[in-house]
Amino acid sequence: MPAGDQKLIQIVDAALADATRRSSDWLVCRPGCIQCCIGVFAISQLDAARLRQGLNELEQFDPQRAGVIRRRTREAVARLSPAFPGDSKTGILAEDEDAEQLFEDYADHEPCPVLDPVTGMCDLYTSRPITCRAFGPPVRSEGGLGVCELCYHGATDEQIEACEMEVDPGDLESTLLKDMEQAGSPSGRTIIAFALAG
């Protein structure tokens, strides 16, 4: 892992804590809510490396739980591979317009392989991707300001905007990804199942 990853996590977690404070009761995310754990989404190679490191660490102190994650990962990859909009051998998503369009509706009902289906908790919570850390509060993207559909009921647009979370204001993640690529890591986005299968 790049040395700056821990700093990135601290920045994102602090931004989440601030957005959570400003959101108060509008942010209904709680342990056991799995709204953001169903359906695949793209993650960076930095996220992928952090997940693999977390799984390897889990293997040391709870090999049984790590084995269950590996089994769920294998099962997910088997289900996801036939229609994967990219290279299913490497797990890298294609970046052309057709692949992006295919990804929009790809595996919308697929549970995350690190989601414990019994407890509704993330088995690699401390190693989760940036998207998972930022889901719930209002986050700005190319499409505007997005929020979890379960949150901010009754809030006005202005109130929602006042709770906006700036995920990575200094764009540290991009710097860390460039450093990883220069060190020989693969480039391109992937999804959690393929990240853990690799």
Side-chain angles (χ1 to χ4, degrees):
M1 291 300 302
D5 185 58
Q6 193 56 44
K7 180 178 180 185
L8 174 64
I9 296 308
Q10 290 171 346
I11 290 168
V12 175
D13 287 352
L16 175 61
D18 180 57
T20 299
R21 180 190 52 75
R22 287 182 281 125
S23 298
S24 187
D25 292 338
W26 287 322
L27 188 61
V28 297
C29 303
R30 300 290 181 264
C33 176
I34 62 169
Q35 175 73 12
C36 59
C37 306
I38 307 296
V40 301
F41 54 90
I43 63 171
S44 72
Q45 291 297 322
L46 181 60
D47 289 328
R50 188 181 318 107
L51 283 164
R52 285 190 295 270
Q53 179 178 320
L55 184 56
N56 289 337
E57 290 170 359
L58 181 63
E59 189 84 58
Q60 300 304 308
F61 70 88
D62 193 344
Q64 183 176 358
R65 197 163 105 208
V68 170
I69 294 171
R70 290 187 194 285
R71 178 188 49 78
R72 288 193 307 247
T73 297
R74 283 190 306 273
E75 292 168 355
V77 168
R79 285 190 303 273
L80 296 169
S81 288
F84 186 68
D87 184 339
S88 62
K89 294 201 184 334
T90 64
I92 303 294
L93 290 161
E95 295 182 6
D96 61 87
E97 193 172 314
D98 289 340
E100 292 282 339
Q101 189 63 39
L102 288 171
F103 191 67
E104 286 294 316
D105 298 318
Y106 173 70
D108 285 343
H109 302 288
E110 179 71 25
C112 179
V114 298
L115 172 67
D116 182 322
V118 175
T119 65
M121 304 291 281
C122 177
D123 280 337
L124 293 177
Y125 187 77
T126 59
S127 302
R128 68 197 186 283
I130 297 299
T131 298
C132 300
R133 292 170 187 274
F135 197 86
V139 173
R140 192 163 304 278
S141 67
E142 296 167 4
L145 197 60
V147 298
C148 172
E149 63 192 34
L150 301 179
C151 300
Y152 300 93
H153 290 253
T156 65
D157 290 345
E158 292 78 22
Q159 289 169 320
I160 293 171
E161 192 167 323
C163 299
E164 180 178 353
M165 177 181 174
E166 193 169 357
V167 177
D168 180 14
D171 201 20
L172 177 58
E173 184 178 27
S174 293
T175 301
L176 296 174
L177 283 166
K178 286 177 189 169
D179 291 348
M180 286 178 68
E181 288 174 20
Q182 289 175 348
S185 291
S187 63
R189 300 175 310 150
T190 187
I191 62 175
I192 291 173
F194 283 96
L196 291 173

